[in-house]
């Protein structure tokens, strides 16, 4: 699918004056759209119309073949997941070629990225999502693979993708659960005991630490659902809460949004706002072809910083979030530019009543 704006060239001759004026008329109302989705559609059309002006329009580019990520800290590779509208996926039906995006594969230009993110936001706003009760858990199943590096350095090694399941308390009041293939189960969000020592030689006195309030860096479903749906207000909140957490401010914001699109299940309007907020971050680009950990091919929104490129992979047709990739953009001890050092694919997202429970399979 070609994401370039389809606008007819306006000619000044009398023969084409009629069609040219017709093209300037506003589009007819789309039946069956609710007010929120219609507003998002209008915003996307207005943005595309502005970009189509002679002073700065996007040059048409040839459509690339259809092709269907994850934050990395080398030598220790952190794990991250992704969010989208995909509920259950039959991996046998979605083979991929495992393409690797080299720096030259990027399509620069934040205006193009903004157009794509507008479409993704519109699709996210139209998603149907069941209400998640405060006493439930958000369940996310993914395929993930993260590169590791030995203490002595050298090239990173990425193992085969494995299954990751996580159960997160919707309101943060109960411990969650992390289950990764080949690893023991881990409790999430459980308050570990803290020991006070009154004086030297005294017996340590256990107490429970005060639970931290939910935040951008440590969100619950309840917190994510309460986030502003105005993109400017949301981006300001993200910048304020991630201040001083390393990297440059723009990359911090992009990474934080990716985390929120990872192991949370944002309500449709919040999800749309997150994508529109990402469109306001400088340096965001489009990758024509990227593959998630399940081999599904799609188009990606990306940002490069500190020798690595973080890519969010989306389905070309539905704009559903498929997964993430992290790719080296500079050659070094860890490997040559283009090396994929982290990848994920979201397979299932659902609300369940208890940890360890999985939803019944449904059609993809």
């Amino acid at each position: 699918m070609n994401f370039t704006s389809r606008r007819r060239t306006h000619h000044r001759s009398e023969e084409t004056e009629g069609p040219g004026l017709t093209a300037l008329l506003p589009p007819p109302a789309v039946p069956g759209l609710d007010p929120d989705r219609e507003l998002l559609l209008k915003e996307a059309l207005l943005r595309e119309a502005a970009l189509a002006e002679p002073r700065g329009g996007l040059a048409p580019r040839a459509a690339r073949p259809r092709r269907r990520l994850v934050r990395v800290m080398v030598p220790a590779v952190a794990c991250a997941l992704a969010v989208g509208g995909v509920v259950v996926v039959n991996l046998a039906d979605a083979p991929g070629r495992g393409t690797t995006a080299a720096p030259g594969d990027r399509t620069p230009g934040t205006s193009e990225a903004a157009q794509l993110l507008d479409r993704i936001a519109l699709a996210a706003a139209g998603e149907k999502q069941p209400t998640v009760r405060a006493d439930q858990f958000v369940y996310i199943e993914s395929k993930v693979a993260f590169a590791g590096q030995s203490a002595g350095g050298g090239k990173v090694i990425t193992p085969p993708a494995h299954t990751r399941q996580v159960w997160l308390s919707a309101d943060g009041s109960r411990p969650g659960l992390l289950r990764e293939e080949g690893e023991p189960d881990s409790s999430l969000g459980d308050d570990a005991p803290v020991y006070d020592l009154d004086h030297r030689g005294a017996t340590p006195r256990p107490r429970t630490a005060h639970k931290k309030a939910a935040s951008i860096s440590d969100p619950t479903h309840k917190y994510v659902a309460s986030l502003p749906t105005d993109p400017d207000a949301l981006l300001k909140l993200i910048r304020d809460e991630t201040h001083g957490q390393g990297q440059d401010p723009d990359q911090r914001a992009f990474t934080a949004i990716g985390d929120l699109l990872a192991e949370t299940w944002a309500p449709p309007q919040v999800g749309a706002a997150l994508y529109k907020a990402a469109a306001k971050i400088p340096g965001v680009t489009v990758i024509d072809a990227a593959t998630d950990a399940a081999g599904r091919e799609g188009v990606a929104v990306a940002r490069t910083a500190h020798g690595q490129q973080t890519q969010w992979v989306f389905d070309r047709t539905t704009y559903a979030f498929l997964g993430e990739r992290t790719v080296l953009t500079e050659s070094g001890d860890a490997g040559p530019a283009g090396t994929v050092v982290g990848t994920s694919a979201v397979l299932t997202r659902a609300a369940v009543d208890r940890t360890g429970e999985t939803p019944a399979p449904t059609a993809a």
Side-chain angles (χ1 to χ4, degrees), residues 6-348:
R6 296 186 177 92
R7 289 287 181 270
R8 297 177 181 175
T9 304
H10 182 65
H11 300 283
R12 295 182 177 273
S13 65
E14 292 182 359
E15 292 180 359
T16 57
E17 182 177 358
L21 293 175
T22 302
L24 295 176
L25 293 176
V30 181
L33 292 180
D34 59 61
D36 289 333
R37 193 170 184 188
E38 184 175 1
L39 178 60
L40 283 171
L41 180 59
K42 288 180 178 179
E43 291 177 357
L45 291 173
L46 289 173
R47 186 189 295 273
E48 289 188 17
L51 290 172
E53 291 294 327
R55 57 185 180 182
L58 288 175
R61 55 186 175 90
R64 304 276 181 97
R66 286 196 60 171
R67 299 182 179 173
R68 288 257 170 178
L69 153 157
V70 145
R71 272 167 290 287
V72 159
M73 293 177 288
V74 177
V77 181
C79 116
L81 298 177
V83 171
V86 179
V87 177
V88 176
V89 174
N90 184 346
L91 296 182
D93 294 337
R97 294 188 288 276
T99 55
T100 298
D105 291 335
R106 297 194 305 272
T107 304
T110 53
S111 58
E112 184 182 16
Q115 289 184 66
L116 175 56
L117 284 164
D118 274 344
R119 292 180 172 91
I120 294 169
L122 181 62
E127 288 292 329
K128 300 299 181 183
Q129 184 186 112
T131 300
V132 181
R133 302 193 314 268
D135 63 338
Q136 288 186 303
F137 291 84
V138 171
Y139 169 76
I140 302 167
E141 180 180 346
S142 303
K143 285 283 187 182
V144 300
F146 304 98
Q149 189 177 44
S150 67
K155 291 185 178 180
V156 296
I157 299 175
T158 304
H162 64 273
T163 300
R164 172 183 168 96
Q165 297 169 290
V166 63
W167 291 261
L168 300 169
S169 173
D171 63 359
S173 64
R174 292 181 291 169
L177 177 66
L178 170 63
R179 180 172 292 165
E180 293 209 47
E181 189 177 329
E183 299 289 339
D185 290 357
S186 300
S187 180
L188 300 176
D190 200 3
D191 291 331
V194 176
Y195 292 89
D196 291 329
L197 192 64
D198 295 329
H199 56 82
R200 181 174 296 182
T203 301
R205 178 165 45 84
R207 67 177 173 85
T208 301
H210 294 294
K211 192 173 185 65
K212 293 182 179 180
S215 64
I216 292 293
S217 301
D218 188 19
T220 62
H221 179 79
K222 180 179 178 180
Y223 174 82
V224 173
S226 71
L227 289 174
T229 55
D230 174 78
D232 292 308
L234 180 56
L235 185 57
K236 182 181 185 305
L237 173 65
I238 291 171
R239 291 188 184 277
D240 289 345
E241 289 208 14
T242 59
H243 180 73
Q245 293 183 7
Q247 302 178 324
D248 62 89
D250 291 329
Q251 186 62 21
R252 284 201 308 265
F254 189 81
T255 300
I257 292 175
D259 290 341
L260 290 171
L261 296 173
E263 286 186 342
T264 67
W265 198 10
Q269 293 303 322
V270 174
L274 287 170
Y275 292 124
K276 293 177 79 67
K280 297 177 178 292
I281 299 174
V284 180
T285 60
V286 172
I287 306 295
D288 289 321
T291 307
D292 70 5
R296 298 173 299 187
E297 297 174 327
V299 63
V301 172
R303 193 174 193 279
T304 302
H306 314 293
Q308 297 178 6
Q309 183 180 83
T310 302
Q311 305 173 2
W312 304 338
V313 185
F314 299 89
D315 184 275
R316 294 180 184 276
T317 303
T318 66
Y319 301 118
F321 196 117
L322 298 180
E324 288 187 292
R325 283 202 318 175
T326 297
V327 181
L328 297 182
T329 58
E330 299 174 2
S331 298
D333 292 341
T339 300
V340 178
V341 293
T343 181
S344 74
V346 176
L347 306 182
T348 306

